[in-house]
Amino acid sequence: MSFTRRGVLATVALAQSNLLGGCFGGTDGTQAGSGSTGGADPTATATPEPTTGEPTATATETPTPTPVANADMAAATTNVLSEFEWFRSEYDTTLTQFRIAVNRVYTVLTEIEDAETRTESDVTALRTATTDLAEFVQANLVDHFAVDPALRTGNNVYVRDLERGVSRDDREFQNTAISRAKSFYQRVISNPYISNELSRRPVYGPLYDMLVPGGSDRIVALVSEDDDFVTWAHPDLDDSTADDGIDRHTHEFPSGHRTFTHAHPHSTPHPLRDHTNEPELNRLYAYGDDGVSILVDGESHRERLDDFEPALTGLFGPVKSDGRTTGVTLMIGTVGPAWDAVPVYVEAFDSVDAAQAVTESTDPVGSEGVMSLAGRNWERVFYDAAGTTIYAYRLRAGRAVITALPADVPWERRPEWAADLRGTWLAVE
């Protein structure tokens, strides 16, 4: 049985939940006390009583661990953060190593192609190279992509075809097999193939499935806390390796704020001022150097998106914690031309205790009741951002704390507050 990194993370989180569900008390036993000497001379040496029973047990106490809040959500959130971190910090190195391993296979094929006589040893050499590649792919890529079976298997169709040609001493069959194999391995390291099948931006497959387990029409942008890596995840709706069926593009406003989840057919170039489909209430969320902001139409007499300017900035600023180990901002939108992306901020900590500590009410962040979503109680929090009261929703899940949908609109005026989270891991039972 193979154990993937994601599977292990999820298993650990759930196992921790099961262990922490009960209470761990002290050991039962009798603790020996000191006897009284009564009226005896205090300098006299007491004669110990003979021991006739079992040795006396010494009572010990095991500290009760902090229970894991929302254990299933904790496991899912851990997987999301771990997958994002892999694309941020490990993707480039892994793809370089992948290309090197593929080139080794290609070199062996070229040597076999040039050989005057091909033997079983040539087949063995090719199988060794493809097996090394397959082991690398299994260890480093299959957790993150839907990988072609020929890359995951050492004794693949190209090796077997060459073996048939060699066993039959059929030179033409061998040439065809070698040509097909070289074409395949050359293609899998080409830029068009990498950008579609092993893409970092956008990300398909596992990360999208983690983020949106209940739908196929969402786009989720993810931005690292240091703003050093931005990517987005959405489904691949096209079977070809040249396109994904979603014409997603980024727009930047004059203020420098960007939207990442806009998708519709368009001409090139496609400046922001081409758009006249202004969002409902002339407000939209966008991401800039100050984090998530709300932009509003500064020229209400006309409909042009490049008139939008920041009205509220740094919406997550007061809830961000210095003690976090990871911080990721997500913008969750829908495939299409609408400007409907909503923000979520996720930060993780070294321990459950640390996550619990940051969710305790403080002067900067107040709390008032809860709202239910998918069977989980989200805390209603409020805080000040540049002189404006911001209302948001917060959930603690194990070592992670999730804050969603910050706005200057009170909770009572948002009856369908969770509608924009539909289909995501945050809204799935």
Side-chain angles (χ1 to χ4, degrees):
M1 177 182 295
S2 63
F3 293 88
T4 65
R5 177 174 59 85
R6 268 198 325 277
V8 170
L9 288 170
T11 301
V12 168
L14 291 174
Q16 184 184 29
S17 166
N18 293 334
L19 286 172
L20 298 181
C23 295
F24 297 82
T27 305
D28 289 338
T30 303
Q31 183 171 354
S34 57
S36 171
T37 59
D41 184 348
T43 61
T45 302
T47 303
E49 294 289 332
T51 301
T52 57
E54 293 294 326
T56 302
T58 301
T60 60
E61 292 185 358
T62 301
T64 302
T66 303
V68 175
N70 299 298
D72 56 341
M73 178 72 75
T77 304
T78 295
N79 286 340
V80 167
L81 295 177
S82 177
E83 189 73 354
F84 174 77
E85 181 60 26
W86 185 89
F87 278 99
R88 187 183 78 85
S89 61
E90 299 182 41
Y91 175 89
D92 283 338
T93 299
T94 302
L95 264 291
T96 297
Q97 295 171 340
F98 169 71
R99 285 188 165 102
I100 291 172
V102 171
N103 278 321
R104 291 195 188 106
V105 176
Y106 192 87
T107 298
V108 172
L109 284 165
T110 301
E111 293 171 350
I112 296 173
E113 184 178 42
D114 294 340
E116 292 185 6
T117 303
R118 296 154 186 159
T119 66
E120 186 60 36
S121 64
D122 294 314
V123 177
T124 300
L126 178 59
R127 184 180 289 113
T128 298
T130 56
T131 298
D132 290 343
L133 172 60
E135 290 175 350
F136 175 85
V137 168
Q138 290 282 2
N140 296 281
L141 294 179
V142 296
D143 278 358
H144 314 287
F145 306 101
V147 182
D148 191 297
L151 292 172
R152 292 184 278 112
T153 308
N155 191 35
N156 61 31
V157 61
Y158 303 107
V159 176
R160 297 195 302 272
D161 279 353
L162 178 62
E163 187 173 38
R164 291 188 189 98
V166 169
S167 66
R168 299 168 187 172
D169 198 23
D170 186 335
R171 185 81 179 184
E172 184 175 350
F173 193 106
Q174 296 169 18
N175 289 340
T176 300
I178 293 170
S179 177
R180 288 178 61 243
K182 291 185 70 175
S183 177
F184 171 76
Y185 287 107
Q186 192 172 42
R187 181 170 64 89
V188 299
I189 57 174
S190 67
N191 288 335
Y193 185 92
I194 295 293
S195 65
N196 192 265
E197 300 299 318
L198 303 175
S199 173
R200 183 192 197 190
R201 191 182 288 113
V203 178
Y204 312 109
L207 178 57
Y208 181 76
D209 294 338
M210 294 176 199
L211 290 165
V212 190
S216 60
D217 64 341
R218 309 309 300 271
I219 301 177
V220 182
L222 304 96
V223 186
S224 63
E225 180 58 35
D226 296 331
D227 207 11
D228 62 346
F229 178 58
V230 180
T231 190
W232 38 87
H234 61 66
D236 186 347
L237 302 181
D238 196 304
D239 291 335
S240 75
T241 58
D243 194 9
D244 56 30
I246 295 179
D247 199 349
R248 189 223 63 86
H249 47 283
T250 297
H251 278 303
E252 183 169 329
F253 293 85
S255 62
H257 292 82
R258 294 159 287 165
T259 60
F260 306 106
T261 63
H262 205 54
H264 63 88
H266 63 277
S267 59
T268 303
H270 178 49
L272 183 62
R273 65 183 301 161
D274 283 354
H275 282 282
T276 59
N277 62 322
E278 293 191 349
E280 185 179 2
L281 302 179
N282 286 337
R283 294 160 60 95
L284 58 82
Y285 288 105
Y287 188 89
D289 292 339
D290 48 12
V292 175
S293 298
I294 292 178
L295 275 58
V296 301
D297 188 355
E299 300 288 344
S300 59
H301 65 278
R302 64 185 181 189
E303 291 188 355
R304 235 173 54 185
L305 264 295
D306 58 351
D307 289 333
F308 276 63
E309 55 191 27
L312 295 170
T313 60
L315 294 182
F316 285 121
V319 297
K320 292 184 177 182
S321 307
D322 293 336
R324 64 180 177 271
T325 57
T326 303
V328 180
T329 300
L330 298 89
M331 302 294 288
I332 302 172
T334 305
V335 175
W339 307 90
D340 61 353
V342 296
V344 172
Y345 180 68
V346 182
E347 55 184 5
F349 299 86
D350 284 327
S351 67
V352 173
D353 288 332
Q356 180 175 330
V358 303
T359 58
E360 295 174 354
S361 293
T362 62
D363 289 337
V365 181
S367 175
E368 185 181 307
V370 298
M371 298 289 285
S372 180
L373 172 61
R376 304 178 189 92
N377 286 328
W378 287 69
E379 180 186 15
R380 302 194 310 184
V381 295
F382 60 98
Y383 46 88
D384 179 87
T388 300
T389 300
I390 300 300
Y391 300 87
Y393 305 88
R394 184 169 67 182
L395 179 75
R396 181 166 57 87
R399 296 186 301 108
V401 177
I402 305 162
T403 307
L405 313 179
D408 56 344
V409 180
W411 314 292
E412 296 84 359
R413 289 169 52 194
R414 293 195 261 175
E416 302 295 330
W417 70 276
D420 293 317
L421 302 179
R422 64 172 178 79
T424 71
W425 94 104
L426 300 173
V428 173
E429 295 276 4

